[in-house]
């Protein structure tokens, strides 16, 4: 009976939360470019990469209908902040729950609305030759700001978190918020006058920021536009490489962008936000404090106990 | 106090013995120009190991935590545990720390963006944990960056936390209006308080350090042949 009651409580709590999620197509009148994707959307997960930290990982490939899914913060603890979540997957697929929906749930738990971005993959060619990823990211943040009142968020507290290739895309939109794709028509809604600059960025094991000379590549060279930045990477990440974070952090510092860098000894690549026995899996604790220090979240109650 | 006794109290709270080292200051030049600081650090480590049984500690789990100049001294000790002072009798007791925690270190940068020669990590350097604030204008954040890269090149497992801490401008305008004249000093003190005292249960650094310490054992065993 006790179990049944617990089951009912969990069920009743769970259903309304799920019901609040809604998905909007980024381009309801058609993508800026004709789709080159022929097959249907699939989950390319294999037996080899299905399980991580005791949970099943889901992925999406052949994404031709990009969208945003809104995970609204609970009204009782809504901070007014929102974060666009850009999953990784090497611009080949999207690591959908590990670096997507589970991150939105964490954001919800600290009073932040999560906006899960389904951007077009596989990508054919990089920005600026192929602007599809950037178009999707800009459209996602503009839609979010255009719906700010309706979704009860502050349009000046819209950040982005990106994992791996998603971290690459986050840094891209932070570096070139004024970019105008020639393929997006002037009649597009929301208009290009809606700001596409994130107010803060969190780069999780970001990939592809460096050029061949171990310097930040021209595309990602920090400008004064870059918002406060938070970076997490593992020393033994042989995919994104710890030097990417070190060099990018130094470039941010040289550009006088407030930045925070957390390098852990172990963690590899693609750990997402799942709990493991490694210290790195507690990065959300530090991220939450950082969100307080940059005033995206209000002062936590325990700050009052810190006398100057 | 906040870089000494209070740190020992924190260590006690997580079940560790703290050994507070009173080394000779002011120093007339630091290692290698003047070896008094290293001699004191070595002697402190050897005395601790010699008393291991009496003090109920494991002689293979003795680390060093240093702050600012103390962090530099910890880094020097890690690289030169076998240094033989001219006026010091030879000792067979190991002076190498088993792990080191480097808090806002100074004097670690040498020429051309490399670690300074006296602290250049070797295969002897133990697992390292580094904390620095970006807005530390006394011990610049580059100290931590350069030292971390040197550790990595030497294949020493290391963890690096560079905190923004909001910046003096933001803090003074939003939280209490501290005069900018004392802003920096307050930030440094505030940083330490934050790390070691302000919020033991939730402070990010305290959590990080605790988890780092819990990993030191496994890491050491992984890098041993």
């Amino acid at each position: 009976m006790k179990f049944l009651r617990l089951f009912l409580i969990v069920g009743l709590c769970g259903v309304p939360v799920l019901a609040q999620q809604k998905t909007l197509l980024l381009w309801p009148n058609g993508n800026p470019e004709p789709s080159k994707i022929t097959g249907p959307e699939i989950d390319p997960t294999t037996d080899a990469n299905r399980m991580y930290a005791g949970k099943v990982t889901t992925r999406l490939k052949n994404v031709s209908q990009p969208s945003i899914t809104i995970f609204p913060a609970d009204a009782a603890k809504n901070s007014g902040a929102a974060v666009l979540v850009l999953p990784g997957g090497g611009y080949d697929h999207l690591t959908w729950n590990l670096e997507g929906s589970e991150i939105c749930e964490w954001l919800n738990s600290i009073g932040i609305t999560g906006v899960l971005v389904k951007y077009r993959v596989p990508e054919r060619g990089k920005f600026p030759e192929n602007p599809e990823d950037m178009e999707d990211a800009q459209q996602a943040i503009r839609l979010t700001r255009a719906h700010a009142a309706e979704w009860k968020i502050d349009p000046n507290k819209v950040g982005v978190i990106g994992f791996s290739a998603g971290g690459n895309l986050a840094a891209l939109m932070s570096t070139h918020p004024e970019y105008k794709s020639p393929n997006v028509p002037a009649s597009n809604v929301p208009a290009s006058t809606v700001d596409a600059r994130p107010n803060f960025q969190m780069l999780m094991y970001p990939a592809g920021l460096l050029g061949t000379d171990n310097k930040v590549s021209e595309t990602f060279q920090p400008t004064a536009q870059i918002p406060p930045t938070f970076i997490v990477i593992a020393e033994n990440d042989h995919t994104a490489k710890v030097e990417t974070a070190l060099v990018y952090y130094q470039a941010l510092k040289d550009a006088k962008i407030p930045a925070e860098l957390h390098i852990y000894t172990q963690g590899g690549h693609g750990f997402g936000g799942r709990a493991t026995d490694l210290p790195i899996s507690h990065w959300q604790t530090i991220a939450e404090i950082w969100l307080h220090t940059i005033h995206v979240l209000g002062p936590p109650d325990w700050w009052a106990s810190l006398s100057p | 106090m906040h870089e000494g006794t209070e740190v020992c109290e924190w260590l006690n709270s997580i079940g560790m013995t703290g050994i507070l080292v009173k080394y000779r200051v002011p120093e007339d030049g630091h290692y290698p120009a003047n070896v008094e600081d290293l001699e004191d650090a070595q002697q402190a480590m050897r005395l601790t190991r010699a008393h291991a049984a009496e003090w109920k500690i494991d002689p293979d789990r003795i680390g060093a935590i240093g702050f600012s100049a103390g962090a530099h001294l910890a880094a020097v000790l890690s690289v030169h545990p076998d240094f033989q002072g001219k006026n010091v009798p030879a000792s067979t007791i190991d002076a190498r720390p088993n792990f080191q925690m480097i808090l806002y270190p100074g004097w670690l940068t040498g020429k051309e963006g490399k670690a300074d020669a006296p602290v250049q990590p070797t295969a002897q350097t133990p697992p390292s944990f580094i904390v620095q604030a970006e807005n530390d204008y006394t011990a610049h954040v580059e100290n931590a960056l350069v030292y971390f890269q040197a550790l990595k090149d030497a294949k020493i497992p290391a963890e690096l936390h560079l905190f923004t801490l909001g910046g003096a401008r933001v803090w003074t305008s939003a939280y209490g209006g501290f005069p900018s004249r004392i802003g920096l000093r307050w930030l440094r003190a505030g940083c330490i308080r934050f790390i070691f005292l302000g919020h033991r249960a939730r402070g990010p650094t305290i959590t990080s350090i605790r988890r780092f310490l819990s990993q030191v054992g496994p890491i050491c065993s992984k890098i041993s042949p």
Side-chain angles (χ1 to χ4, degrees), chain B residues 97-192:
Chain B
N98 297 109
F99 55 92
Q100 62 172 350
M101 293 188 277
I102 304 288
L103 282 283
Y104 43 94
W107 302 288
L108 297 187
T109 49
K111 286 179 185 142
E112 293 163 357
K114 297 250 190 291
D116 199 23
V119 294
Q120 181 64 47
T122 66
Q124 299 258 26
T125 307
S128 304
F129 182 91
I130 309 164
V131 177
Q132 179 73 294
E134 191 176 44
N135 58 0
D136 184 332
Y137 304 116
T138 306
H140 291 270
V141 74
E142 279 76 7
N143 278 289
L145 281 169
V146 163
Y147 189 59
F148 175 86
Q149 182 69 59
L151 288 166
K152 179 162 191 289
D153 294 343
K155 298 195 175 21
I156 307 303
E159 191 161 318
L160 173 66
H161 295 280
L162 303 180
F163 291 94
T164 308
L165 283 175
R169 187 171 48 81
V170 175
W171 282 67
T172 50
S173 61
Y175 289 104
F178 307 110
S180 58
R181 187 171 55 79
I182 64 159
L184 178 64
R185 208 178 64 183
W186 177 82
L187 267 173
R188 286 174 63 78
C191 160
I192 296 148

